[in-house]
Amino acid sequence: MSTELHTDIAIIGAGPAGMAAAVAACSQGAHVTLVDDNPRPGGQIWRGGPSQAPASASSTFRQLADSQARLLSGFRVAAVPAPGQLLLEDPHRAQVLRYGKLIIASGARERLLPFPGWTLPGVTGAGGLQALVKGGLDVRDQHIVLAGTGPLLLASAATLRAAGAQVLLIAEQAPWSQLARFGWALKAYPAKLAQAASLAWQLGGVPYHHASHVLAALGQTRLDGVQLQLGARSLTLPCDWLGVGYGLLPNTELLRALHCQINQGAAQVDALMQTSQTGIYAAGEATGIGGVDKALLEGRIAGLAATGAIAAAQALAPRRKRQLAFAALLDKHFALQPAITQLAQADTLVCRCEDVSHASLQQFDNWREAKLQTRCGMGACQGRICGAACESLYGWQGSGDRPPLLPTRLGSLLEPTLAKANPT
């Protein structure tokens, strides 16, 4: 049986925000435990570690390696058994982690919305396909279509092309007027403008269509083509992979379990990144989608504030306004067009885990009724995919998260009780 772990500061998520928070907290002499469900630090954006991350990330990886932070890789937070405690689980065992302060840098996931054929093998999220390639998926000479919205489409396309894939086209749902305004606004962010220019150069020759979106994925047992709306015309293309993602959504399940205030889908924090719960901080995409620079800055602020280095944290806080302004640009110029939420047909599955169709859900007025009658949201993903889809399609608000936070072994849930009964 495992024993309890103790730490001054627990940090959940080892992406840029969590890494920056760990480095900052360790610099103040705190005992830090960094928890992540991936095999190595980096999160989704720096997935694969320093060897696959951009050169600009190397200093963060180096600083983390030089710090005294304890890294628990491959662990997920299963539940909150008591105040100041987290129940962690990896494939083999469970651990109870006791902490003094907590920083939640839980990152984000893709917004996936239903359309005919979206459950076919070969259809993934745009970022999900990028992650698969970073994890070793061979896409050499594979024909790939990317669709959805936001800068992630370009980053994913660049990764796929570098891996030898043939990216047939990118379908961006935002109209040209919005894209032009976003590009003009990037003049205030030279580094991001340079990054956009670099991606455009890497993707030279790949058709990029605005005001365009997927109509349907085609195939019987696996994807073999895609039907697209490209401006005023429709097009059918044969392809091997289709990656579709409509932006990102903050992961707030742990925050909700800890009764932290959520505002517009993200953690509500003060200038020092503290949530509505004293001693609990949030940083990065968990506080709102804004990119790696925002994540790194917020992680530093949270790490310093959690250790009591208030003056140092306050000195950094004004810089966050600029990052929040960029986040607002993303939200404004890549807002979903109404057509995206009208693609599902009567037999299109909305809840993939429990095979619940669009027609089955349209008869209900809210998430709770649908869940009770159809099991929508009660599958393995715990509503992480269909919950956002139902909000977009029907305007439903989630009915709240209940423990465990994800599918968990019964033995793991017994761990806190066993630990109390057999103290070491």
Side-chain angles (χ1 to χ4, degrees):
M1 187 189 72
S2 61
T3 59
E4 289 187 345
L5 301 176
H6 297 258
T7 191
D8 296 333
I9 298 176
I11 303 174
I12 307 304
M19 294 168 70
V23 170
C26 285
S27 73
Q28 302 301 308
H31 184 276
V32 174
T33 300
L34 182 59
V35 182
D36 195 90
D37 60 357
N38 289 302
R40 60 183 66 86
Q44 295 303 317
I45 192 167
W46 293 341
R47 191 181 184 90
S51 63
Q52 298 189 36
S56 58
S58 60
S59 63
T60 304
F61 279 102
R62 184 172 59 255
Q63 290 167 11
L64 180 65
D66 292 341
S67 75
Q68 297 300 310
R70 174 173 56 190
L71 179 61
L72 297 180
S73 296
F75 276 92
R76 306 182 300 175
V77 179
V80 181
Q85 297 180 31
L86 296 174
L87 176 62
L88 310 179
E89 182 186 66
D90 77 355
H92 309 291
R93 64 193 187 283
Q95 296 275 11
V96 175
L97 176 63
R98 290 181 177 269
Y99 61 85
K101 301 286 181 64
L102 176 65
I103 300 174
I104 300 174
S106 48
R109 60 182 180 273
E110 282 189 276
R111 183 198 300 269
L112 305 177
L113 298 175
F115 55 88
W118 76 308
T119 59
L120 279 171
V123 181
T124 73
L129 185 54
Q130 181 189 40
L132 287 171
V133 170
K134 288 182 178 180
L137 176 68
D138 187 358
V139 292
R140 285 174 295 179
D141 299 322
Q142 297 284 290
H143 295 81
I144 298 176
V145 172
L146 295 176
T149 198
L152 181 59
L153 293 181
L154 301 179
S156 298
T159 299
L160 296 170
R161 204 177 196 196
Q166 297 185 39
V167 181
L168 301 181
L169 63 82
I170 300 170
E172 164 61 60
Q173 61 91 42
W176 171 249
S177 59
Q178 294 292 84
L179 296 175
R181 292 189 185 99
F182 179 73
W184 181 262
L186 283 184
K187 291 197 306 179
Y189 301 88
K192 296 185 185 299
L193 182 59
Q195 184 182 29
S198 175
L199 286 172
W201 180 81
Q202 294 175 57
L203 297 173
V206 176
Y208 181 83
H209 297 269
H210 56 83
S212 302
H213 58 267
V214 168
L215 292 174
L218 310 175
Q220 295 299 316
T221 59
R222 195 191 187 283
L223 176 78
D224 57 34
V226 58
Q227 185 180 5
L228 300 152
Q229 187 71 39
L230 303 180
R233 67 186 179 99
S234 62
L235 175 71
T236 299
L237 275 178
C239 61
D240 302 302
W241 292 91
L242 169 63
V244 185
Y246 294 103
L248 300 173
L249 295 170
N251 290 321
T252 60
E253 290 78 17
L254 178 57
L255 288 153
R256 294 178 189 274
L258 292 163
H259 308 292
C260 298
Q261 185 67 38
I262 304 297
N263 184 23
Q264 296 183 337
Q268 181 175 301
V269 294
D270 62 18
L272 298 183
M273 310 312 300
Q274 185 167 234
T275 70
S276 59
Q277 298 295 323
T278 301
I280 300 178
Y281 301 77
E285 307 290 54
T287 71
I289 307 305
V292 66
D293 293 333
K294 170 180 171 291
L296 288 168
L297 177 61
E298 290 185 348
R300 293 188 193 104
I301 296 172
L304 292 169
T307 60
I310 303 303
Q314 288 175 331
L316 293 174
R319 293 167 49 187
R320 185 168 172 255
K321 292 181 180 179
R322 178 176 172 81
Q323 302 304 330
L324 292 178
F326 178 73
L329 287 176
L330 289 173
D331 191 54
K332 176 181 179 181
H333 295 302
F334 294 100
L336 291 185
Q337 301 300 305
I340 303 302
T341 63
Q342 299 168 12
L343 297 175
Q345 298 178 357
D347 61 348
T348 302
L349 296 181
V350 175
C351 177
R352 303 163 61 121
C353 298
E354 296 294 327
D355 293 337
V356 184
S357 69
H358 181 40
S360 299
L361 294 172
Q362 284 180 301
Q363 59 186 302
F364 301 107
D365 296 324
N366 57 65
W367 176 260
R368 185 175 184 274
E369 288 183 10
K371 195 172 184 179
L372 287 171
Q373 298 297 322
T374 69
R375 290 187 53 82
C376 180
M378 298 179 70
C381 88
Q382 302 281 276
R384 286 169 172 79
I385 303 300
C386 61
C390 287
E391 182 176 352
S392 296
L393 268 61
Y394 317 120
W396 297 347
Q397 297 299 314
S399 58
D401 298 293
R402 300 178 63 183
L405 299 177
L406 39 77
T408 304
R409 298 187 298 271
L410 180 59
S412 296
L413 295 176
L414 292 173
E415 182 67 28
T417 301
L418 295 175
K420 289 180 181 179
N422 299 275
T424 57

